[in-house]
C-alpha cells in the first residue's frame, strides 16, 4: 500500500434509529492510475470514474470471494466502459471510445445511447452470475439507483461524481424491518433517508470528507461511521497469463502466429498497457513444458 492509505477507500455507516445503512467511496490514486494508461477525453474520464465508484459500492452490497466485472455497453461514441473489482479490493478499468464523436458537454444519453449495464460475478468457488439491465437514467447515478430497485428489489439511492482527479460515491439502502415494523412508519423513515441523500451536491461529494458530508445530510440523525476499507489499483495481467493465451491456441497455430508477426508476438494488456513479448524460442519452450519464465523482454 501507499504511504497515503486514506485517499482510496470505502467506508460504511449505519443509522441507529432507522432501518437503513450506507456506504461512501473515495478514489484518487487508483483513478489516476486508470486514467494515466490512456488519453481519455474528459467526458469519458468522468464516466469511467463514476463507474469505478459504482463498482466499489456494489461490492459493498455483496458477499463473495472472487471478481466483480461491471460493464456499460452501447452502440454510441462510448461502446464500452469496463471495471473489474476483486474481493481483495483491487480495482482496474478501461474505456473504448470514438474520440471524433465526443463533445465536451456530452451527456450519458449522447455518449451511450441505448446502452445497458452488465454485472458479472465470478466467485472463486461456486456458480458464475450475470445480470443485465438497461441504462435507463439521465446519468449513472440514476441508472444504478434504478438497477437496485428493479433488479435487486431493494430501496436504494446512489449518487456518483467524478472530475478527472477524484471519483466519489454515496449509497444509502433500506434494511429489513427491525426498528420500524409498521409499514407506514417504515415508508416514512426511508423517504426521509432518501430525500436527504438526494440533496447532496457534486461539489460536496468531491470536495468534503465523509464526516462532513454525513453531518450536512443527517445532522439530526444518529449515524455511526465505521473504519475505512482501503482499496487500490492493481492489474491482474501477467506474463504467465499471456503465455497461457498462446498455449490455448495450440502449438501449430502459436508458431504460425509468431511467424506471421515477424518472429515476435506482442500481447498487450488493455487495462494497463503492459506489453508481453514472445519469440519463437519462447513458444517452443512453452510447448516443451518449460514454463513461462522465458527471457524475452517485457515492455511498458
Amino acid at each position: 500500500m501507499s504511504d497515503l492509505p486514506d485517499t482510496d477507500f470505502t467506508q460504511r455507516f449505519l443509522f441507529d434509529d432507522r432501518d437503513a445503512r450506507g456506504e461512501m467511496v473515495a478514489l484518487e490514486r487508483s483513478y489516476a492510475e486508470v486514467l494515466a494508461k490512456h488519453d481519455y477525453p474528459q467526458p469519458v474520464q468522468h464516466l469511467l470514474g463514476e463507474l469505478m465508484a459504482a463498482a466499489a459500492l456494489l461490492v459493498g452490497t455483496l458477499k463473495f470471494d472472487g471478481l466483480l466485472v461491471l460493464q456499460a455497453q452501447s452502440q454510441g461514441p462510448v461502446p464500452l466502459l469496463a471495471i473489474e473489482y476483486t474481493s481483495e479490493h483491487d480495482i482496474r478499468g478501461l474505456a473504448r471510445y470514438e474520440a471524433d464523436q465526443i463533445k465536451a458537454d456530452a451527456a450519458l444519453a449522447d455518449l451511450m445511447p441505448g446502452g445497458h449495464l452488465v454485472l458479472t460475478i465470478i466467485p472463486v468457488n461456486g456458480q458464475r452470475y450475470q445480470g443485465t439491465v438497461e441504462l435507463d437514467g439521465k446519468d449513472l447515478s440514476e441508472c444504478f439507483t434504478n438497477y437496485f430497485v428493479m433488479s435487486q428489489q431493494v430501496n436504494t439511492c446512489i449518487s456518483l461524481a467524478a472530475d478527472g482527479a477524484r471519483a466519489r460515491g454515496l449509497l444509502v439502502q433500506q434494511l429489513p424491518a427491525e426498528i420500524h415494523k409498521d409499514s407506514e412508519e417504515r415508508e416514512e423513515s426511508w423517504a426521509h433517508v432518501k430525500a436527504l441523500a438526494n440533496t447532496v451536491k457534486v461539489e460536496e461529494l468531491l470536495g468534503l470528507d465523509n464526516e462532513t458530508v454525513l453531518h450536512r445530510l443527517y445532522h439530526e440523525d444518529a449515524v455511526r461511521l465505521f473504519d475505512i476499507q482501503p482499496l487500490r489499483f492493481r492489474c491482474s495481467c501477467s506474463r504467465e497469463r499471456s503465455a497461457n493465451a498462446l498455449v490455448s491456441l495450440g502449438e501449430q497455430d502459436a508458431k504460425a502466429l509468431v511467424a506471421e508477426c515477424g518472429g515476435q508476438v506482442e500481447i498487450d494488456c488493455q487495462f494497463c498497457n503492459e506489453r508481453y513479448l514472445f519469440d519463437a524460442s519462447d513458444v517452443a519452450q512453452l510447448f516443451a513444458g518449460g514454463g513461462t519464465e522465458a527471457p524475452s523482454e517485457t515492455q511498458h
Side-chain angles (χ1 to χ4, degrees), residues 236-262:
S236 60
C237 73
S238 67
R239 183 170 177 80
E240 181 179 5
R241 288 192 173 194
S242 299
N244 288 339
L246 285 176
V247 170
S248 69
L249 296 176
E251 185 172 5
Q252 184 174 349
D253 287 345
K255 289 181 176 180
L257 182 60
V258 171
E260 290 173 8
C261 294

Side-chain angles (χ1 to χ4, degrees), residues 11-52:
Q11 189 170 23
R12 298 183 179 185
F13 58 93
L14 182 69
F15 292 83
D16 287 337
D17 302 323
R18 301 181 185 275
D19 293 314
R21 61 171 289 271
E23 188 156 1
M24 302 184 76
V25 59
L27 302 164
E28 290 187 27
R29 292 192 315 280
S30 55
Y31 184 30
E33 291 257 22
V34 168
L35 296 185
K37 309 302 179 184
H38 304 273
D39 186 21
Y40 293 125
Q42 189 176 77
V44 177
Q45 292 180 17
H46 294 179
L47 280 183
L48 197 55
E50 290 180 4
L51 199 68
M52 289 177 68

Side-chain angles (χ1 to χ4, degrees), residues 44 47 72-81 96-98 101-103 106-117 133-140 143:
V44 177
L47 280 183
Q73 302 174 358
S74 81
Q75 299 299 316
V78 181
L80 176 68
L81 300 169
R96 292 178 183 154
Y97 63 97
E98 300 293 338
Q101 299 180 35
I102 296 176
K103 297 180 180 179
L108 177 63
D110 304 316
L111 298 171
M112 307 192 78
H116 56 275
L117 290 168
V133 295
E134 293 182 2
L135 281 171
D136 59 348
K138 68 179 185 299
D139 53 29
L140 286 180
C143 290

Side-chain angles (χ1 to χ4, degrees), residues 101-251:
Q101 299 180 35
I102 296 176
K103 297 180 180 179
D105 59 349
L108 177 63
D110 304 316
L111 298 171
M112 307 192 78
H116 56 275
L117 290 168
V118 181
L119 172 67
T120 307
I121 298 173
I122 307 171
V124 174
N125 297 302
Q127 289 190 325
R128 176 189 179 114
Y129 164 84
Q130 187 170 83
T132 302
V133 295
E134 293 182 2
L135 281 171
D136 59 348
K138 68 179 185 299
D139 53 29
L140 286 180
S141 298
E142 189 172 303
C143 290
F144 278 98
T145 295
N146 293 340
Y147 162 78
F148 273 100
V149 174
M150 300 300 293
S151 298
Q152 303 298 314
Q153 297 183 340
V154 178
N155 284 329
T156 304
C157 180
I158 292 180
S159 296
L160 304 167
D163 63 2
R166 295 169 302 277
R168 299 288 300 273
L170 166 69
L171 173 149
V172 290
Q173 191 169 70
Q174 190 174 40
L175 294 173
E178 291 290 340
I179 297 170
H180 296 296
K181 298 190 177 182
D182 177 80
S183 59
E184 186 173 336
E185 288 183 356
R186 177 171 169 79
E187 184 176 338
E188 289 177 357
S189 179
W190 170 246
H192 167 85
V193 171
K194 179 180 178 181
L196 292 179
N198 280 329
T199 66
V200 71
K201 298 180 176 62
V202 168
E203 301 78 33
E204 292 175 316
L205 271 182
L206 293 175
L208 301 176
D209 59 75
N210 289 353
E211 292 87 347
T212 303
V213 171
L214 289 178
H215 178 72
R216 287 193 176 191
L217 294 177
Y218 299 111
H219 58 275
E220 295 182 353
D221 290 282
V223 180
R224 277 186 288 156
L225 188 60
F226 295 94
D227 291 339
I228 66 171
Q229 174 64 63
L231 60 89
R232 62 182 174 180
F233 170 85
R234 173 181 275 185
C235 192
S236 60
C237 73
S238 67
R239 183 170 177 80
E240 181 179 5
R241 288 192 173 194
S242 299
N244 288 339
L246 285 176
V247 170
S248 69
L249 296 176
E251 185 172 5

